[in-house]
């Protein structure tokens, strides 16, 4: 019956064309969420015991007591470098330790001293050092306020601030504060959930906490379910829904015309986030209240005080790291489906791109390429000579990605399974045996990636002498890493499964993070630490940006799924994950030709550009829809390749500073309230504005061009438009509305070849867009495109260009070679073409 059950599961899952809501919990069905959500502001029983306060050079500690049950907690407050505050709350004397998230922070965040300003029986006031910032600890009920100056920026329960706060200057306004509600009881004796309330006076706009198929600006949840963060395998998810999806990053940004801030809730358990919009002080002053609710763990929260969007990105990057700098080829076009049938099929598809003059860099193989869903293997009949296949791609300077999922077929003849079992590396069930569940291979074991020894072993399996048939032009895809368990609760692992001493409930959202980490480390190790890896993963957590790319999962060939790909990737970019994309054309169902063309046009301007399709859908290689549509798709892909120098320098900056590649307009125009809710257009860096056509049958779109006094140039016609206006743009099926900001210089490559590697030595074209406000500036970053030599040996070229007084000049930002490059310079204002030679020295 085993094989029949696997077949039944595969058929049922592959034939599902809409999400089954019954598989997934609501807050009312989650006991801890329902209980915590029932708590009301003002009900907190916690009181600060001021006599226990201790202040050192690095932190403040203070005991809290629950006046109902007399349980004591330990509060730790840290002032961190870079205008951040850290708050930790744990049991003072736990009978059983609570899980604290490891490995996500890149180091122990450096601290700065707190100084005591005043103290009385009601609380204490501490200086945070910068811009008259104050941290106020109120005793009863326990409350924390962060304040700055006279202007109210962020607040909680501000109408009762004076009566509860200790003595402090009355002209100090509340910047930030929160209340705490906890179930601090022993696991075995009762609930272990935690929650923390934040209020943000003056704030109407909050963003982040991916992954959800919803608008960029988060909605109030008081009329429905909270946003849920719990990594799950959700088939053809619904759009505009707070349901949990594949990844979870517990980071929220608040933004107003005055300030941007961030909240990082470092907890890997199932988490719900309630958002309530209301007014405070007066009907003219908005306020947003946010409650974080987690099933277990401790409270460990980082408050990033901005004050600008760029500051918040830098602050978060200093905690969890920056986007991995991908190989240049990974920013090009990827061709995928479930599945390319055999080596001959791969060769035919590869040749099809050449025959139709469409560039591509990667072709992908899904689960059917393996020997019976045994990862790290090849089907001996369909792929008998994988190295010959890979060499054929390499000869054309192309690459391949193969899938390696983290569920392992339980089969005594399978080397991978035998080694994991013999080493004791599988996740355990509550009775101590190996945890097993159903996935694509049938009965499967799940490696415990939280174990560093397991991760090291997994990484070693990518060595060329271990992964037979692999070569240097083969990279990896980690799917199903939530983890997906077809017969598990909510299609995932049982919460009482054991990872060493910890239950899955404590660290569930970390599993996918560790899978991608181990795989990326394996690809690095196989090259002796020389080559940059490329790993795509479906599940992720805070810090996953350090290890590769993500995508939005099992979408559908529907217009709403095309539209939602924009806010989904924008949300990820705001919380550190810049390398994001959606399956072009939709994974489930079959797109109309119009939808397919529009999706290629949109995907060409999103960071990760891959077409993918379900096993049961008709083939949809770009040339299968008639010559007119082939030409349209070809043009979209070629536009991507022409812009690869710009994409590459954006990822260079993302890697070095944490700034998102694809960003909402409000990031660059933070005082323009018209941009705060926009999620149908976006910026690439600060200089390209893209408004994809995502409406069926559209004959026009209205793009908002921001910036009073700015000018924007249509990159296709070079027509100039003033900023701070809504511009109606007539469109045809060939239109991709893209604008370059006046005062910018963008590098391109005009000679598009069969792959990005074939374009390596081609000349660059600089597009100079003039502005009445400023002289034009831009830059160009160049390295070898695939190794770590840019970092380890500082082998790269980084030039900054300026165009002023009808002259183009360049200077070195960081420059370690003397090389001559030929540039063709296009001047956008008078539409003049100028052929200039620029010597970099």
């Amino acid at each position: 019956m085993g094989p029949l059950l696997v077949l039944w599961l595969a058929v049922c899952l592959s034939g599902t064309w809409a999400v089954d809501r019954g598989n997934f919990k609501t807050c009312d069905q989650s006991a801890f969420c329902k209980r915590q959500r029932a708590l009301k502001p003002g009900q907190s029983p916690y009181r600060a015991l001021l006599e226990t306060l201790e202040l050192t050079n690095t932190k403040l500690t203070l005991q809290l007591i629950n006046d109902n049950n007399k349980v004591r907690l330990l509060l730790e407050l840290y002032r961190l470098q870079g205008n951040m505050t850290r708050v930790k709350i744990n049991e003072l004397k736990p009978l059983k330790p609570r899980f604290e998230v490891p490995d996500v922070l890149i180091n122990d965040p450096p601290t700065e001293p707190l100084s005591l300003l005043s103290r009385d029986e009601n609380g204490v006031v501490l200086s945070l050092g910068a811009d008259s910032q104050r941290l106020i600890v109120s005793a009863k009920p326990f409350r924390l306020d962060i304040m700055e100056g006279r202007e109210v920026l962020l607040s909680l329960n501000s109408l009762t601030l004076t009566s509860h706060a200790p003595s402090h200057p009355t002209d100090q306004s509340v910047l930030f504060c929160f209340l705490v509600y906890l179930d601090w009881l022993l696991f075995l004796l009762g609930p272990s959930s935690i929650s923390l309330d934040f209020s943000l006076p003056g704030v109407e706009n909050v963003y982040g906490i991916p992954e959800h198929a919803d608008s960029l600006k988060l909605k109030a949840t008081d009329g429905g379910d909270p946003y849920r963060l719990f990594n799950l395998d959700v088939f053809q998810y619904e759009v505009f829904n707070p349901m949990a999806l594949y990844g979870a990053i517990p980071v929220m940004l608040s933004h107003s015309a005055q300030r941007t801030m961030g909240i990082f809730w470092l907890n890997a358990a199932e988490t719900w986030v309630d958002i309530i919009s209301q007014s405070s002080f007066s009907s003219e002053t908005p306020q947003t209240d946010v409650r974080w609710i987690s099933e277990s763990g401790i409270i460990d929260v980082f408050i990033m005080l901005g004050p600008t969007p760029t500051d918040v990105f830098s602050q978060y990057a200093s905690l969890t790291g920056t986007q991995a700098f991908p190989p240049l080829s990974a920013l090009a076009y990827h061709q995928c489906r479930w599945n390319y049938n055999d080596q001959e099929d791969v060769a035919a598809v590869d040749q099809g791109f050449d025959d139709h003059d469409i560039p591509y860099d990667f072709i992908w193989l899904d689960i059917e390429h393996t020997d019976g869903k045994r990862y790290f293997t090849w089907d001996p009949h369909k792929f008998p000579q994988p190295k010959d296949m890979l060499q054929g791609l390499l000869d054309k300077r192309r690459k391949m990605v193969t899938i390696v999922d983290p569920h392992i077929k339980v089969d005594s003849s399978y080397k991978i399974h035998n080694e994991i079992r013999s080493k004791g590396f599988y996740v355990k069930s509550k009775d101590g045996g190996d945890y097993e569940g159903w996935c694509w291979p049938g009965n499967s074991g799940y490696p415990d990636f939280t174990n560093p020894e397991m991760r090291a072993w997994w990484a070693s399996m990518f060595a060329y002498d271990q992964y037979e048939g692999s070569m240097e032009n083969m990279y990896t895809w980690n799917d199903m890493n939530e983890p997906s368990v077809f017969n598990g609760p909510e299609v995932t692992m049982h919460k009482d499964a054991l990872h060493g001493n910890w239950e899955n409930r404590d660290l569930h959202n970390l599993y996918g993070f560790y899978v991608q980490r181990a795989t990326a480390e394996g690809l690095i190790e196989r090259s002796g630490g020389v080559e940059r890896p490329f790993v795509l993963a479906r599940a992720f957590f805070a810090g996953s940006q350090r290890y590769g790319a993500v995508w939005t999962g099992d979408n559908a060939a529907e217009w709403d799924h095309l539209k939602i790909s924009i806010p989904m990737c924008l949300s990820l970019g705001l919380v550190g994950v810049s390398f994001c994309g959606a399956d072009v054309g939709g994974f489930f169902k079959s797109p109309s030709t119009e939808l397919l063309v529009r999706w290629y046009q949109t995907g060409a301007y999103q960071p990760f550009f891959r077409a993918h399709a379900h096993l049961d859908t008709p083939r949809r290689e770009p040339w299968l829809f008639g010559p007119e549509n082939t030409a349209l798709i070809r043009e979209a892909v070629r536009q991507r390749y022409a812009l690869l120098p710009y994409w590459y320098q954006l990822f260079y900056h993302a890697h070095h500073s944490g700034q998102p590649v694809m960003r909402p307009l409000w990031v660059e125009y933070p005082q323009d309230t018209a941009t705060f809710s926009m999620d149908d257009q976006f910026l690439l860096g600060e200089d390209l504005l893209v408004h994809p056509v995502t409406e069926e049958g559209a004959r026009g779109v209205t793009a908002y061009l921001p910036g009073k006094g700015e000018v924007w140039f249509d990159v296709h016609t070079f027509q100039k438009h003033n900023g701070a206006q809504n511009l109606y743009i007539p469109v045809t099926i060939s239109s991709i509305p893209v604008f370059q900001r006046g005062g910018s210089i963008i590098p391109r490559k005009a000679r598009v070849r069969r792959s990005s590697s074939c374009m390596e030595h081609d000349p660059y074209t600089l597009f100079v867009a003039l502005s009445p406000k400023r002289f034009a500036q831009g830059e160009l970053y160049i390295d070898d495109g695939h190794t770590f030599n840019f970092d380890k040996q500082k082998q790269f070229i980084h030039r900054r260009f300026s165009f002023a007084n009808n002259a183009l000049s360049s200077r070195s930002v960081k420059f370690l070679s003397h090389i001559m490059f030929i540039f063709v310079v296009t001047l956008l204002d008078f539409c003049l073409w100028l052929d200039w030679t620029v010597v970099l020295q």
Side-chain angles (χ1 to χ4, degrees), residues 155-156 177-179 195-200 203 206 209 218 221 252-254 263 272-278 287-293:
S155 177
L156 174 67
C177 69
F178 49 83
L179 291 179
S195 74
L196 190 63
D197 280 9
F198 301 79
S199 285
L200 313 171
V203 170
V206 289
I209 57 170
L218 298 172
T221 60
M252 178 181 288
L253 275 67
S254 68
I263 301 169
W272 300 77
V273 184
D274 236 342
I275 300 171
I276 299 174
S277 296
Q278 58 181 289
Q287 176 169 304
T288 298
D289 297 330
V290 181
R291 177 177 293 180
W292 299 76
I293 304 169

Side-chain angles (χ1 to χ4, degrees), residues 641-714:
Y641 276 73
L643 271 173
L644 282 176
Y646 184 64
W647 280 105
Y648 198 53
Q649 76 181 36
L650 291 180
F651 270 90
Y652 174 77
H653 286 297
H655 176 66
H656 276 272
S657 67
Q659 305 305 304
V661 169
M662 176 181 174
R663 58 190 70 163
L665 272 64
W666 61 260
V667 168
E668 296 299 329
Y669 300 89
Q671 295 181 318
D672 188 345
T673 58
T675 67
F676 291 177
S677 299
M678 285 184 179
D679 58 14
D680 59 351
Q681 61 182 73
F682 53 90
L683 292 167
L684 297 177
E686 60 182 349
D687 293 331
L688 278 187
L689 185 151
V690 185
H691 191 304
V693 181
T694 59
E695 292 286 346
E696 185 176 10
R699 296 186 176 182
V701 298
T702 300
Y704 180 71
L705 304 181
K708 186 176 182 180
E710 297 271 20
V711 293
W712 294 86
F713 293 86
D714 185 313

